[in-house]
Amino acid sequence: DEPWVAVMGFGMDQLEIELEEAFPMTVRLVDTGGEPVTGAEVVVRPAGEGQEQAIIARVMGIGATEEPHTRFKETEPGVYVADALTPGLYYVEGRSRGLAPVVETHDLWDGEADLTLTLPTGYSLDLKVIAAGTGEPVPAARASVVRTENWFMLRSLATGLTDEEGQVRLGPYTTTRPESEQKSGMSWGAPDELRVVVRHPRFADST
């Protein structure tokens, strides 16, 4: 059920598209103690041509990669299955509330895939935002924990809005670079510095 696109030139009246045989994929999600993670979400993204530009878009927050049509179903505790995926290279991401997300690369070419992702507990940050001068809490401020990707780009690790008391819990997040980004060549001498960025329309940005 994945879309295929071909370009037709002027004068063409016939087009043949060959669809590859699809394979199932099984993803097992466990925590650091080896226990299955239930009620989670598994997302796959093609890692083909143009993926570097998609990573840049997500890093800069200027766009979002369209989610594939493939949906994973939890067939037993911690086991998530998709019936059919087109052969290719994929980024496979496991997400669960209370645990840090994990992304790995998988090459699906030779048949059914069965892989295991370990979701770490990760880190969380309790943050309070107050107005300079008055010390009053600032609600509805957007706060983020970001990591320096290189000398001019930041990647958001966790984002949230402050409540009426100016407080927000950011995370959980992991400081380990996803395998997909390690292989993408997007880390051009980045110092791996973590920062907290706070934005609100009535105040100057704070880092």
Side-chain angles (χ1 to χ4, degrees), residues 45-140:
R45 296 187 181 90
E49 185 178 355
Q51 188 66 20
E52 289 78 8
Q53 288 82 354
I55 291 175
I56 292 175
R58 291 202 302 274
V59 166
M60 300 185 69
I62 59 175
T65 302
E66 182 180 355
E67 297 290 349
H69 297 289
T70 305
R71 293 291 178 263
F72 283 79
K73 296 181 180 179
E74 188 172 11
T75 57
E76 56 184 277
V79 179
Y80 302 82
V81 178
D83 292 332
L85 275 173
T86 301
L89 183 64
Y90 289 95
Y91 294 148
V92 184
E93 180 177 4
R95 308 170 181 167
S96 179
R97 184 179 296 275
L99 296 172
V102 168
V103 181
E104 290 189 9
T105 306
H106 185 77
D107 204 348
L108 180 65
W109 285 108
D110 300 325
E112 182 175 356
D114 192 324
L115 62 155
T116 300
L117 302 182
T118 301
L119 276 60
T121 304
Y123 302 93
S124 295
L125 175 68
D126 290 319
L127 180 71
K128 184 172 183 178
V129 179
I130 61 175
T134 66
E136 294 295 319
V138 178

Side-chain angles (χ1 to χ4, degrees), residues 2 6 12 24 37 64 72 74 86 97 124 138 140 159 165 173 195 201:
E2 297 178 20
M12 293 179 60
V37 178
F72 283 79
E74 188 172 11
T86 301
R97 184 179 296 275
S124 295
V138 178
T159 301
E165 302 298 321
Y173 57 89
R195 303 180 186 182

Side-chain angles (χ1 to χ4, degrees), residues 106-192:
H106 185 77
D107 204 348
L108 180 65
W109 285 108
D110 300 325
E112 182 175 356
D114 192 324
L115 62 155
T116 300
L117 302 182
T118 301
L119 276 60
T121 304
Y123 302 93
S124 295
L125 175 68
D126 290 319
L127 180 71
K128 184 172 183 178
V129 179
I130 61 175
T134 66
E136 294 295 319
V138 178
R142 179 171 296 278
S144 303
V145 175
V146 299
R147 181 181 62 216
T148 306
E149 289 294 292
N150 50 52
W151 299 111
F152 59 91
M153 279 198 294
L154 301 175
R155 182 182 191 276
S156 176
L157 303 180
T159 301
L161 293 175
T162 56
D163 59 18
E164 291 299 319
E165 302 298 321
Q167 298 178 346
V168 62
R169 168 163 286 193
L170 302 175
Y173 57 89
T174 177
T175 57
T176 303
R177 289 183 179 274
E179 178 188 350
S180 58
E181 293 182 11
Q182 295 176 15
K183 293 183 177 181
S184 70
M186 294 300 296
S187 304
W188 301 305
D192 264 346

